[in-house]
Amino acid sequence: MLRLLASAVVLLLLTGCTADQDSDVTVDPTVDASSRTPASTAATANPDPPGTEPTASESTPSDPTPSDPVGTDPTPSDPASPDPTPAGTDEDMAGADPASVDLALVEIARLSAPIAMAIRPGDDTLWVAERAGRVVPLQPDGTVGDAIIDISSDTTTGSERGLLGLAWSADGDTLYLSYTDTDGANVLAAAPVVDGVLRADERRTILTVPQPASNHNGGDLQLGPDGNLWWALGDGGAADDRFGNGQRPNTLLGAMLRIDPDGGDPYGIPADNPWADGGEGAPEVWAYGLRNPWRFAFDVPTGTLWIADVGQNSVEEVDRVPIGQAGLNYGWPHREGDQPFDGGQADGPTVEPIHTYTHGRGCSITGGRVYRGPDAPALQGAYLYADFCDGRIFALAVDRNGTVVDDVDTGLSVQSPVAFGEGADGALYVLSLDGPVHEVTPR
């Protein structure tokens, strides 16, 4: 069973708080993808619900929170053009030396189960998603503002569900949300910013993907350097890839999705997606064979995508590939990390992780970020990550060929680390599901 599920009871205890209810949300039926989900996205029905999943206790919503200003409108900027191969200056590609850096954690705020962070172009504010459904503005100095949106009436924190990810459009005029609805389906939604105010009551659904179980939801959401939305979803839950989604590129589960949110109604398919014209895969799928990709990140200077995929019985993995490399198979369930799993064999080559560790050290990897901040030069290019169960923060140092040369225990530890975030200046943050938001800084 998924390590994150093994900690599901802990998650429920940590997040058993009363949620605020959002104002009534109207969804334009012409763009409600829940009514037109392609057949390939529907997961196999689960005749026997997993008996190991805890029962969630529903919270009682309180009064709605009105929409609040999100700040001055940023200056629109064009997204960077995609580059299919890793690129960068010698300084970008040079190996980091994290062992030489003495790091500290500085708590800047405490929130209610913070679970994801994003920045809006042209704005220093850190926008933090709370698992129960709110998005709040957090200033780097620790000042917390009023929630700009609250979807707590449309989600639940049972098992591994809730508000799971968020991202801003390149022009800052749209907030994208990734969450599970009250039926447990993964939902990708968008809310517009008009005259500097987020219009929560104009939130619309872009895409809905049914989930047959309450775990392995994935849900991380990022605006890629190519201007497209990237959305990571787990394999459908339970254990052992019970629903057979891992090696099926024609399902949206167990996959990395890539869509153009402005390219159609309700979205467009980028022409260079591997199955953009159909065939054996779903048009939205960029890569497949993932179990539960709990956090991924782009490192633009090197043109690479980093994915942390949660293991099941014994191995956690980190993958690093060129951003533009499409159609990759990450191997699950035939592979768990770098080890055989179910005795099966993939039809073609699979991605080999650049790093793994066993459950003697932890039990559920929390993917991080490549450090590109200004305050710790020796940390430049290192990938910082953690484990939800263990709490320690590690730094992977890679050489110019992208080969891991060191896995450094930074000496830092956070209770229940669930996500990393990056500020507009490159500062690195780590979020604890217990509530603290910490900045990672040199002493």
Side-chain angles (χ1 to χ4, degrees):
M1 179 61 68
L2 166 66
R3 296 305 96 191
L4 206 57
L5 177 59
S7 303
V9 174
V10 177
L11 294 181
L12 288 170
L13 291 174
L14 292 175
T15 58
C17 55
T18 300
D20 294 328
Q21 183 181 15
D22 190 20
S23 56
D24 292 336
V25 176
T26 58
V27 178
D28 183 349
T30 63
V31 294
D32 182 0
S34 63
S35 63
R36 56 178 296 278
T37 304
S40 61
T41 71
T44 305
N46 177 14
D48 299 306
T52 57
E53 293 172 4
T55 300
S57 58
E58 298 298 332
S59 58
T60 302
S62 60
D63 293 336
T65 302
S67 299
D68 292 301
V70 297
T72 57
D73 292 334
T75 301
S77 58
D78 294 331
S81 300
D83 188 341
T85 58
T89 66
D90 287 343
E91 183 178 356
D92 294 329
M93 301 296 288
D97 185 18
S100 68
V101 185
D102 187 13
L103 296 173
L105 289 174
V106 177
E107 183 177 316
I108 64 169
R110 279 184 177 260
L111 302 172
S112 177
I115 198 167
M117 176 184 290
I119 55 175
R120 183 174 180 241
D123 186 352
D124 292 336
T125 302
L126 309 170
W127 299 93
V128 182
E130 295 178 328
R131 187 183 179 205
R134 301 195 316 157
V135 175
V136 298
L138 171 62
Q139 300 305 320
D141 66 3
T143 302
V144 181
D146 295 330
I148 61 168
I149 193 169
D150 187 339
I151 64 166
S152 57
S153 62
D154 296 321
T155 188
T156 174
T157 58
S159 188
E160 295 172 16
R161 295 167 172 169
L163 176 55
L164 303 174
L166 76 168
W168 286 97
S169 61
D171 60 10
D173 285 343
T174 305
L175 175 65
Y176 299 106
L177 300 176
S178 166
Y179 62 95
T180 56
D181 65 19
T182 53
D183 292 325
N186 282 100
V187 177
L188 177 61
V193 174
V194 180
D195 296 329
V197 176
L198 187 80
R199 298 290 183 87
D201 60 346
E202 297 180 19
R203 171 163 55 102
R204 64 182 178 92
T205 299
I206 297 175
L207 177 61
T208 299
V209 183
Q211 283 277 3
S214 63
N215 61 327
H216 300 203
N217 296 301
D220 202 9
L221 182 66
Q222 305 284 337
L223 183 73
D226 55 6
N228 294 306
L229 271 181
W230 296 58
W231 195 26
L233 298 183
D235 66 1
D240 303 320
D241 191 25
R242 179 182 303 180
F243 307 107
N245 294 315
Q247 290 299 301
R248 291 174 52 215
N250 65 339
T251 173
L252 304 192
L253 296 176
M256 180 72 70
L257 311 184
R258 178 176 179 257
I259 65 170
D260 178 356
D262 300 317
D265 185 2
Y267 58 86
I269 300 298
D272 55 349
N273 274 10
W275 297 285
D277 297 326
E280 66 178 13
E284 297 90 345
V285 170
W286 178 259
Y288 65 106
L290 293 161
R291 184 174 183 275
N292 191 25
W294 187 251
R295 303 311 178 204
F296 67 94
F298 297 101
D299 182 39
V300 175
T302 59
T304 51
L305 168 66
W306 295 69
I307 303 174
D309 200 12
V310 178
Q312 177 167 305
N313 294 338
S314 59
V315 185
E316 306 296 308
E317 76 176 82
V318 178
D319 301 292
R320 178 184 185 267
V321 299
I323 292 174
Q325 195 165 346
L328 296 178
N329 181 355
Y330 285 85
W332 174 255
H334 301 327
R335 305 274 290 176
E336 180 190 25
D338 56 354
Q339 300 298 317
F341 183 78
D342 68 355
Q345 184 69 36
D347 291 338
T350 59
V351 174
E352 189 71 15
I354 67 160
H355 180 66
T356 62
Y357 65 89
T358 66
H359 288 175
R361 194 178 95 181
C363 76
S364 178
I365 190 168
T366 295
R369 299 272 179 162
V370 176
Y371 181 78
R372 293 295 177 188
D375 298 328
L379 203 61
Q380 283 278 333
Y383 176 76
L384 276 72
Y385 70 99
D387 186 281
F388 180 83
C389 306
D390 175 75
R392 287 180 293 170
I393 298 175
F394 284 78
L396 290 183
V398 299
D399 62 18
R400 287 178 171 82
N401 297 318
T403 301
V404 173
V405 295
D406 207 351
D407 182 31
V408 176
D409 185 343
T410 65
L412 305 179
S413 183
V414 172
Q415 186 71 27
S416 306
V418 73
F420 287 75
E422 189 176 359
D425 61 353
L428 192 67
Y429 300 88
V430 58
L431 282 60
S432 165
L433 202 61
D434 284 0
V437 177
H438 292 97
E439 183 180 356
V440 180
T441 65
R443 292 185 191 274

